[in-house]
Amino acid sequence: MRDNEFTKILGWPGYRVYRHEINEGTKSLRLWVRRKQGNRKLICSGCGRRFSDAHDSNEREVRDLPWGEYRTTVIIEVYRVCCPECGVRIEKVPQLPSKAPFSKRFEEAVGLACESASVRQVARQFGLAASTVRAIDLRYLERWSATRRRDPLLEMGVDEIYFGKQMKFITVVSDLETGEPLWFGQDRKQETLDEFFRTQLNATQRKRVAAACVDMWRPFTNSITQWARNCRIIYDKFHILQHANKAIDEVRRAEFFRKGGRMRGVVKGKRWLLLTRWMNLDQHKRQQLNQLFALNRRVMKAYLLKESLERLWTYRYEGAMLRYLQSWIAQLRWQRLAPFQKLAQMLVEHLDGILNYCRTQVRFGVVEAINGNIKSLLRRGRGYKNLAYLLLKAQRMAVTKTEFIVFKKAA
Ligand SMILES: [Zn+2]
């Protein structure tokens, strides 16, 4: 094979192979390339200015995509330019995206592999260290992110994720329309969300935010009211139902301790059943629950209350929604279900944000799905001390839908 055939197969626009070396023993191929005759314009990698003269030249060695079983290394002649703005700088070469010893398309292959496999698996596949794979993946995602068009944020979601003992809580801001996380902030204070509004949006963009789907968490709502004047706050259905689940769990536990002997055996181990919606249970599981209900009226009442609360969000008119909530609360009378009374109190205190759903029907469940995706990323890879990397990863996941988990809540 001649060098110009090597040039064709290599397919680096503007570059030609002028020397090659094949080592059958180590299954490696080395190709020396330099600019083609007509490709003489040099671009400063600092500022993009064009030059026709080089300051000096050098060789760089990068790993490229394999040729069959042969691991391929390209040795490329690169120039430095003497730029009035940046000083002596290396020229910009499309196939050399960074200082790391890999070609752009090699990095792209690694980044793509990282979308559907763990870092460890990709590292094994390409014969790289896990830390190298992570660094390549990060650059791959940064390049992708840099070329993206950003839609204005109209409906936002705010949630928190517990990151474990060291990092504690992370605030996650997301775009409800694209289903994509936009920003991570340390902690879950008012200042945390303030920082998002201050650093990520300008005054016009803040004014355009029309709705926010949040938990009943005062620091967040305080921040939103202060920064986004036109933003309507809507309490997330899933978060409210989580509170209902907590209430039913409290009732179950109280009954477990209140009643002795035989009753204990019946209530015990039914936690999951009680947290699952009736429609998601099979015949056998329903029977089990019915048995429990026959013996304990209070647990049954609690379960029915939780089940019926969800109907609240089927209403489209404020008046109807409010009437339904009132009748739901009226059912609590004489029941002595303290956890549910507490929940009712909470709902009344947050009435505006519940009724707001009739004015703006945000997509519930998006926040939960994003949350689920982030948690699955965390479980899968350990290298997320870098929050920026995790954010890019979650964004890419949302956009490519490679692993978009529809988070099935036990609500
Ligand atoms: Zn320059």
Side-chain angles (χ1 to χ4, degrees):
M1 209 153 78
R2 286 174 307 151
D3 279 336
N4 84 41
E5 285 164 320
F6 275 99
T7 300
K8 269 185 206 156
I9 298 173
L10 180 70
W12 278 23
Y15 284 83
R16 65 181 175 90
V17 177
Y18 67 92
R19 192 186 145 196
H20 65 267
E21 204 178 272
I22 299 172
N23 187 327
E24 285 179 77
T26 59
K27 293 271 182 219
S28 61
L29 169 68
R30 291 168 71 77
L31 300 169
W32 280 259
V33 306
R34 60 165 61 117
R35 285 167 170 274
K36 282 181 182 166
Q37 217 81 62
N39 183 20
R40 280 278 163 246
K41 277 269 176 282
L42 305 174
I43 299 170
C44 169
S45 62
C47 64
R49 204 180 291 238
R50 285 161 183 281
F51 296 88
S52 43
D53 293 318
H55 177 71
D56 58 6
S57 78
N58 215 329
E59 274 188 341
R60 266 192 61 192
E61 202 172 307
V62 295
R63 188 165 158 195
D64 197 27
L65 296 176
W67 288 29
E69 288 181 320
Y70 284 75
R71 176 195 275 240
T72 306
T73 306
V74 176
I75 298 101
I76 175 171
E77 203 173 82
V78 288
Y79 295 95
R80 288 198 303 172
V81 293
C82 191
C83 176
E85 190 138 336
C86 317
V88 175
R89 268 283 182 134
I90 194 126
E91 62 159 334
K92 189 175 166 194
V93 180
Q95 273 302 333
L96 303 179
S98 77
K99 285 179 181 151
F102 306 104
S103 68
K104 186 174 177 220
R105 64 185 188 188
F106 180 82
E107 294 210 338
E108 244 133 62
V110 172
L112 203 64
C114 284
E115 280 174 19
S116 47
S118 74
V119 164
R120 217 155 35 98
Q121 285 167 307
V122 176
R124 204 180 315 129
Q125 182 193 339
F126 286 88
L128 296 165
S131 58
T132 309
V133 171
R134 264 184 223 110
I136 291 176
D137 192 24
L138 177 59
R139 287 196 294 271
Y140 165 78
L141 292 167
E142 280 169 344
R143 283 197 294 275
W144 163 73
S145 179
T147 59
R148 293 183 68 200
R149 198 175 67 88
R150 281 174 220 281
D151 297 317
L153 179 62
L154 305 177
E155 296 187 354
M156 67 188 274
V158 185
D159 198 9
E160 71 214 16
I161 294 186
Y162 186 65
F163 259 55
K165 274 189 190 137
Q166 222 169 31
M167 308 261 294
K168 298 265 166 38
F169 284 96
I170 295 289
T171 296
V172 179
V173 176
S174 49
D175 185 329
L176 293 182
E177 290 173 302
T178 59
E180 187 187 323
L182 297 176
W183 184 82
F184 288 165
Q186 202 80 244
D187 222 326
R188 50 168 178 170
K189 295 184 198 145
Q190 182 171 342
E191 295 84 63
T192 316
L193 195 54
D194 287 348
E195 191 193 330
F196 166 77
F197 285 117
R198 201 178 52 239
T199 63
Q200 305 296 305
L201 303 178
N202 61 33
T204 320
Q205 290 170 320
R206 290 196 288 263
K207 261 187 220 145
R208 290 183 79 173
V209 181
C213 184
V214 294
D215 191 4
M216 297 177 285
W217 177 247
R218 188 64 68 194
F220 287 163
T221 49
N222 282 349
S223 175
I224 293 166
T225 344
Q226 189 192 327
W227 288 89
R229 294 282 162 86
N230 303 323
C231 181
R232 197 167 270 157
I233 288 169
I234 296 127
Y235 294 117
D236 190 54
K237 170 178 145 184
F238 288 100
H239 278 120
I240 294 174
L241 292 176
Q242 261 170 23
H243 289 290
N245 268 338
K246 243 176 256 159
I248 194 169
D249 208 33
E250 274 176 48
V251 172
R252 180 191 64 91
R253 243 177 295 149
E255 289 304 290
F256 179 81
F257 287 112
R258 200 168 65 89
K259 305 255 175 159
R262 200 166 66 94
M263 196 54 219
R264 261 189 201 193
V266 178
V267 184
K268 200 180 172 191
K270 297 290 189 301
R271 178 170 188 271
W272 180 82
L273 277 182
L274 285 167
L275 298 185
T276 308
R277 292 171 61 193
W278 189 256
M279 57 176 276
N280 293 335
L281 292 172
D282 61 27
Q283 206 54 41
H284 175 68
K285 298 274 163 52
R286 285 180 181 179
Q287 251 167 29
Q288 276 184 294
L289 264 191
N290 277 330
Q291 261 175 343
L292 169 64
F293 295 157
L295 290 163
N296 192 308
R297 218 186 134 268
R298 205 172 277 185
V299 172
M300 175 170 90
K301 190 70 203 172
Y303 187 79
L304 294 176
L305 282 166
K306 185 205 71 164
E307 282 279 281
S308 59
L309 184 60
E310 195 168 2
R311 271 191 58 201
L312 191 58
W313 289 275
T314 59
Y315 292 95
R316 288 290 172 272
Y317 297 99
E318 256 177 74
M321 196 184 204
L322 181 60
R323 269 194 302 282
Y324 184 80
L325 184 62
Q326 281 165 337
S327 70
W328 186 86
I329 290 171
Q331 289 179 70
L332 294 174
R333 221 172 285 155
W334 322 120
Q335 299 292 341
R336 283 178 295 151
L337 290 167
F340 277 87
Q341 255 138 13
K342 223 173 69 196
L343 174 63
Q345 184 63 37
M346 193 184 212
L347 297 180
V348 170
E349 279 164 19
H350 294 85
L351 198 57
D352 274 352
I354 294 170
L355 297 180
N356 268 345
Y357 182 63
C358 294
R359 299 196 193 99
T360 309
Q361 270 119 48
V362 290
R363 283 168 65 204
F364 288 138
V366 173
V367 165
E368 288 303 308
I370 290 170
N371 212 319
N373 276 346
I374 295 168
K375 279 179 187 158
S376 86
L377 280 171
L378 286 174
R379 265 195 306 276
R380 215 174 55 182
R382 266 162 292 173
Y384 294 116
K385 276 162 206 118
N386 181 351
L387 272 186
Y389 180 30
L390 180 64
L391 178 62
L392 284 167
K393 201 84 190 144
Q395 288 177 332
R396 181 74 187 162
M397 206 167 174
V399 169
T400 57
K401 307 269 192 300
T402 34
E403 231 167 298
F404 208 81
I405 292 168
V406 182
F407 211 57
K408 255 195 167 171
K409 287 309 293 182

